[in-house]
Amino acid sequence: MLRVALSSLVALLTLLAMPAEAQARLQCVAYARQIGEVQLSGNGRDWWVNAEGVYARGERPRPGAVLAFRGTSAMPYGHVAVVSKVVDDRHILINHANWSRPGMIERGVMAVDVSPAGDWSQVRVWYGPTGSLGLRPSPTFGFIYPASATVTAANETARTNG
């Protein structure tokens, strides 16, 4: 028993002694694939194009959908986040990684549609270091829907039109 505890302590101290850059950091893409049903490859900025013909895409948030962010000078690889809850037409809660701090996982944080057209093409996202929504809007492509959300949306459309 003592040997196991000592071995665990040594492993922990070794990890803590590593320089921060040597420790593995969870990226947004890996985290989105891990917790969500949308399984795509590439950087966050690539997911929108890579989803074409594989997953339905659109402008309306749904739980389980992935919000795909465009690449910018501040965020050259783009970003992806999984919708955990739709609060109203302009507010959602998301789960994502690597936004407020490198490798940090954030669950149930606010994202707000600030686009003039209400189409989720510009959002502000909760930023941990300031304890508020980010100051600059981030451009997005829209939402990528997992197969289960696509089937639900098709059923809703059929009921409405039928």
Side-chain angles (χ1 to χ4, degrees):
M1 184 74 141
L2 181 59
R3 182 176 287 163
V4 172
L6 185 57
S7 172
S8 297
L9 180 60
V10 169
L12 178 62
L13 290 174
T14 302
L15 180 63
L16 293 174
M18 288 176 157
E21 59 273 2
Q23 295 178 19
R25 292 183 176 161
L26 190 57
Q27 300 295 320
C28 65
V29 165
Y31 183 67
R33 278 196 303 256
Q34 182 181 23
I35 67 163
E37 295 178 38
V38 174
Q39 300 296 309
L40 293 168
S41 60
N43 293 312
R45 69 176 180 219
D46 304 323
W47 275 38
W48 186 258
V49 171
N50 293 348
E52 187 174 5
V54 180
Y55 295 99
R57 303 175 301 175
E59 298 175 352
R60 292 185 56 212
R62 293 188 190 121
V66 171
L67 179 57
F69 291 71
R70 296 175 180 271
T72 65
S73 59
M75 193 171 55
Y77 298 108
H79 187 71
V80 288
V82 179
V83 177
S84 61
K85 182 178 181 177
V86 177
V87 178
D88 59 35
D89 289 346
R90 294 277 190 152
H91 299 84
I92 59 175
L93 301 181
I94 58 173
N95 298 331
H96 63 162
N98 208 36
W99 184 269
S100 289
R101 204 173 61 225
M104 179 181 182
I105 295 171
E106 295 176 288
R107 294 179 187 92
V109 296
M110 184 67 66
V112 179
D113 175 18
V114 294
S115 64
D119 61 4
W120 289 89
S121 60
Q122 294 277 332
V123 299
R124 287 180 51 207
V125 177
W126 177 262
Y127 186 62
T130 62
S132 64
L133 290 174
L135 297 177
R136 111 182 140 254
S138 297
T140 71
F141 291 103
F143 297 92
I144 303 168
Y145 308 113
S148 60
T150 302
V151 169
T152 302
N155 290 341
E156 289 171 5
T157 302
R159 276 193 301 249
T160 304
N161 294 333

